[in-house]
Amino acid sequence: MATLQQIVAGSSNKITLVIGNGINLFRQPDGNDSWKNLLCQICDDYNFAEGKHYLDAISLVEFSDLLQLHISQAGNNASVQKTFCEKLENWEFGDHHKEISEWAARKSVPVLTTNFDTTLSDSCNAELMHYKTVDTPKFTDFYPWSKYYGTRPIDKPHNSFGIWHINGMQIHIRSIRLALSHYMGSVHRARSWMHRGGNERLFGSVNSLDRWKGKVTWLDTFFKNDLLIFGLGLGAQEVFLRWLLIERKRYYLKFKELERKAWYICTTDEEIPERKFFLSKVDVATVALDSHDCIYRSPVWRT
C-alpha cells in the first residue's frame, strides 16, 4: 500500500493539494466543525426544526436551497450564506493545519480547498492577495477565482504556493457555494471558459492551457498539476468538483500528452465502492491508509 511519502516522492510533476473539511474534523469526535452541524444550527436559528429530520436523506446542497426558501417565505431577508460564514468566525487551526500549509509553502505547492474558513491561511500567516495580469477577468465577488491567500505574490497559479478557495471565500459572502443553484452557477462559468471561444477555450487546442481564461485562476492548477485529494467525502454535495474531475478526464482524453495523475486519500474504514468506482472512471487512484493520523500527521509534512 502506497504512503503519502511514496506518492509525493514518486510524482514527476508539480502537485496540487485538494483539501476538504476533514482537516477541520481531525481529532474532533463531536463533529462540531461539520457542514451538517452548522446547517442544523441554522435550522434552529430560523425555526426549521422539521428540516433537520431529513438532512441525511437530502444532499446538503439541495437542503441549503430548501432552507433559504423557508427563510425567505417567512419574510426574512437573512442569507444562509451570511449566517453560515458568521458561524465560522471562531474556528481555529491546529498543529496539523500549520504543518501542511507550511509544507506547501516550502515546496511552492498550490492548495485548493473546498472550505470557506481561513484556518489554513491563518496557520501560516498567509494574506489575501489578487493574482493580476493583463488577462485577469474583471473582478466579481460572486466568483473571486483569481484571489488567494499567500505569503508572497505568485508567478503562476500552478507553479506557486497559494491557498485558493474553490467554493467561495468567507470574506466574500456572495461567493459562498452552499446550495445547488450556487454550484450550477460555478459549472456554467467554468464551462464557458472550457468550451467557448475557439482556440482560446481550454478544449480548443493543445496550447490552450496557456491562453484560456482559467490560466489566471485556481483552475490553472487543477488541469496542469497532479492532484492529491484528502479530507473530502466527494459525495453528491461536491457536484462542482465531481464535474471538474469528469472534465479533466475528458480533456486528457483529447490531449493525451498533457495527462496528469491524481490520488484520493482516505482511511480503510472510509472506502466506499460507489465513490471508488466514480474515481476510477476519472483516473483518480484511491489510496486507503490505516488512520487519519497517517494523513494529517504524516512525516511527509515535516520534510
Side-chain angles (χ1 to χ4, degrees):
M1 182 65 66
T3 64
L4 283 185
Q5 297 98 306
Q6 291 168 332
I7 290 173
V8 171
S11 174
S12 57
N13 301 299
K14 177 75 78 173
I15 284 179
T16 290
L17 302 184
V18 185
I19 304 176
N21 198 45
I23 195 169
N24 292 325
L25 295 175
F26 179 58
R27 294 188 175 172
Q28 289 198 20
D30 54 9
N32 283 338
D33 288 354
S34 71
W35 273 32
K36 180 179 176 180
N37 184 67
L38 289 183
L39 286 174
C40 282
Q41 292 178 33
I42 298 174
C43 285
D44 291 336
D45 293 342
Y46 296 104
N47 300 313
F48 196 49
E50 61 172 328
K52 292 195 294 184
H53 298 297
Y54 301 100
L55 260 172
D56 291 328
I58 303 175
S59 75
L60 295 185
V61 292
E62 293 170 329
F63 188 86
S64 296
D65 266 323
L66 296 178
L67 178 55
Q68 185 63 66
L69 285 172
H70 168 80
I71 293 172
S72 300
Q73 191 171 8
N76 196 319
N77 293 324
S79 160
V80 173
Q81 294 162 294
K82 185 174 186 296
T83 306
F84 198 96
C85 285
E86 288 172 350
K87 294 183 181 298
L88 301 176
E89 290 292 341
N90 296 322
W91 284 21
E92 298 179 350
F93 65 85
D95 292 341
H96 59 292
H97 290 86
K98 187 175 180 65
E99 283 189 348
I100 294 171
S101 63
E102 291 186 346
W103 176 87
R106 286 196 303 274
K107 304 294 184 180
S108 297
V109 166
V111 177
L112 305 184
T113 180
T114 58
N115 302 335
F116 313 127
D117 60 87
T118 58
T119 50
L120 274 169
S121 50
D122 291 343
S123 71
C124 62
N125 296 314
E127 298 179 359
L128 184 62
M129 300 184 179
H130 192 180
Y131 181 57
K132 291 184 179 180
T133 74
V134 293
D135 299 312
T136 301
K138 184 178 178 180
F139 175 76
T140 165
D141 66 339
F142 279 100
Y143 304 103
W145 291 359
S146 293
K147 276 194 170 184
Y148 65 98
Y149 286 91
T151 53
R152 61 178 62 89
I154 64 173
D155 174 20
K156 294 180 179 179
H158 75 276
N159 201 41
S160 310
F161 168 69
I163 299 172
W164 306 78
H165 291 257
I166 69 177
N167 285 340
M169 313 177 80
Q170 189 177 349
I171 194 172
H172 294 300
I173 300 299
R174 296 197 300 177
S175 73
I176 299 300
R177 309 288 93 182
L178 274 178
L180 183 59
S181 53
H182 300 148
Y183 284 97
M184 290 172 67
S186 291
V187 169
H188 177 75
R189 183 173 179 82
R191 191 177 188 282
S192 68
W193 293 356
M194 294 178 190
H195 298 290
R196 297 178 188 170
N199 285 336
E200 300 303 312
R201 61 193 173 96
L202 178 64
F203 281 74
S205 75
V206 72
N207 298 315
S208 293
L209 266 177
D210 294 318
R211 294 202 298 255
W212 75 303
K213 288 184 178 180
K215 72 180 185 296
V216 297
T217 74
W218 55 265
L219 286 163
D220 181 62
T221 80
F222 196 86
F223 286 91
K224 281 188 177 178
N225 293 356
D226 290 347
L227 303 179
L228 185 62
I229 307 168
F230 57 92
L232 268 168
L234 270 180
Q237 65 268 21
E238 288 294 346
V239 60
F240 181 40
L241 187 52
R242 288 165 68 104
W243 174 78
L244 282 174
L245 289 171
I246 292 171
E247 291 297 296
R248 189 175 187 262
K249 167 67 174 180
R250 185 176 286 127
Y251 179 73
Y252 293 153
L253 283 175
K254 186 171 184 178
F255 305 114
K256 184 70 175 178
E257 63 271 38
L258 300 179
E259 188 171 10
R260 295 292 183 263
K261 296 179 180 179
W263 302 269
Y264 175 82
I265 312 299
C266 63
T267 61
T268 52
D269 60 348
E270 292 173 333
E271 283 193 279
I272 301 173
E274 296 85 354
R275 181 177 59 207
K276 191 172 183 179
F277 169 79
F278 170 82
L279 292 173
S280 70
K281 296 305 177 184
V282 292
D283 289 343
V284 179
T286 298
V287 180
L289 304 180
D290 290 337
S291 69
H292 289 109
D293 281 285
C294 294
I295 302 174
Y296 300 109
R297 302 316 301 265
S298 170
V300 75
W301 308 128
R302 296 186 285 278
T303 60

